[in-house]
């Protein structure tokens, strides 16, 4: 079994999904995969790095992130879109698939942040330095 995710998030390139999956599953990872081939019980991943291409082999199961060169997009034709509209979608419960949805995270505590103290205005840099020394910040 292998999990493949795209490496870009909607607003930032933070790899959150991949890192969470790797940490929870304790599986090896292949990032920026531009070519993936199955080689026995290992996965051969060609990935782009600053100096060119790098080829790595990782054990299965693994988590992979796809580079934009991994796949050539296929565009749906109008007849296929019309056929898809007519297809029935079966409702399946996670338990029927053997998926356990109980959370593995435990909330230890939730606290409000401390109340913010009122600020003060100073006239000169010397006043600012003096106030910072008084409060022990400098």
């Amino acid at each position: 079994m292998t999990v493949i995710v795209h490496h870009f998030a909607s607003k930032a390139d933070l790899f959150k999904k991949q890192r969470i999956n790797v940490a929870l599953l304790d599986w090896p990872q292949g990032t920026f995969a531009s070519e993936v081939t199955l080689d026995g019980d290992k996965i051969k991943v060609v990935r782009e790095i600053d100096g060119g291409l790098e080829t790595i082999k990782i054990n299965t199961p693994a988590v992979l992130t796809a580079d934009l060169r991994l796949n050539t997009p296929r565009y749906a034709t109008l007849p296929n879109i019309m056929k898809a509209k007519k297809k029935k979608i079966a409702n399946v419960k996670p338990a029927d698939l053997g998926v356990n949805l109980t959370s593995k995270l435990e909330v230890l505590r939730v606290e409000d942040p401390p109340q913010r103290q009122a600020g003060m205005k100073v006239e000169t840099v010397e006043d600012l330095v003096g106030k910072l020394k008084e409060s022990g910040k400098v």
Side-chain angles (χ1 to χ4, degrees):
M1 177 181 193
T2 301
V3 176
I4 300 176
V5 295
H6 195 274
H7 72 268
F8 284 113
S10 60
K11 295 192 181 202
D13 188 10
L14 301 175
F15 300 100
K16 287 180 184 176
K17 292 177 289 211
Q18 177 197 358
R19 291 186 300 188
I20 290 170
N21 286 326
V22 167
L24 290 174
L25 297 170
D26 195 26
W27 288 359
Q29 62 182 332
T31 57
F32 300 107
S34 60
E35 184 181 320
V36 177
T37 54
L38 194 57
D39 187 13
D41 63 341
K42 295 194 180 289
I43 299 175
K44 185 171 102 173
V45 178
V46 178
R47 54 191 298 264
E48 188 173 332
I49 58 172
D50 290 337
L53 297 176
E54 176 184 43
T55 302
I56 61 171
K57 283 189 178 182
I58 56 177
N59 294 325
T60 57
V63 176
L64 303 176
T65 60
D67 189 86
L68 59 93
R69 289 169 255 329
L70 181 62
N71 191 18
T72 304
R74 296 179 296 164
Y75 298 102
T77 61
L78 184 59
N80 287 336
I81 292 172
M82 299 310 287
K83 286 179 195 174
K85 283 184 176 182
K86 295 177 185 174
K87 285 211 171 202
K88 297 287 183 194
I89 298 175
N91 287 330
V92 180
K93 295 183 179 175
D96 296 340
L97 299 172
V99 176
N100 183 0
L101 295 179
T102 58
S103 177
K104 294 181 176 140
L105 302 176
E106 178 184 352
V107 178
L108 299 178
R109 66 177 177 267
V110 178
E111 298 176 356
D112 288 333
Q115 286 288 54
R116 191 169 180 185
Q117 297 177 351
M120 64 180 83
K121 290 185 180 181
V122 293
E123 298 295 324
T124 65
V125 173
E126 291 79 19
D127 292 342
L128 174 62
V129 172
K131 294 284 185 185
L132 290 172
K133 284 182 180 179
E134 284 176 23
S135 64
K137 307 243 187 224
V138 175

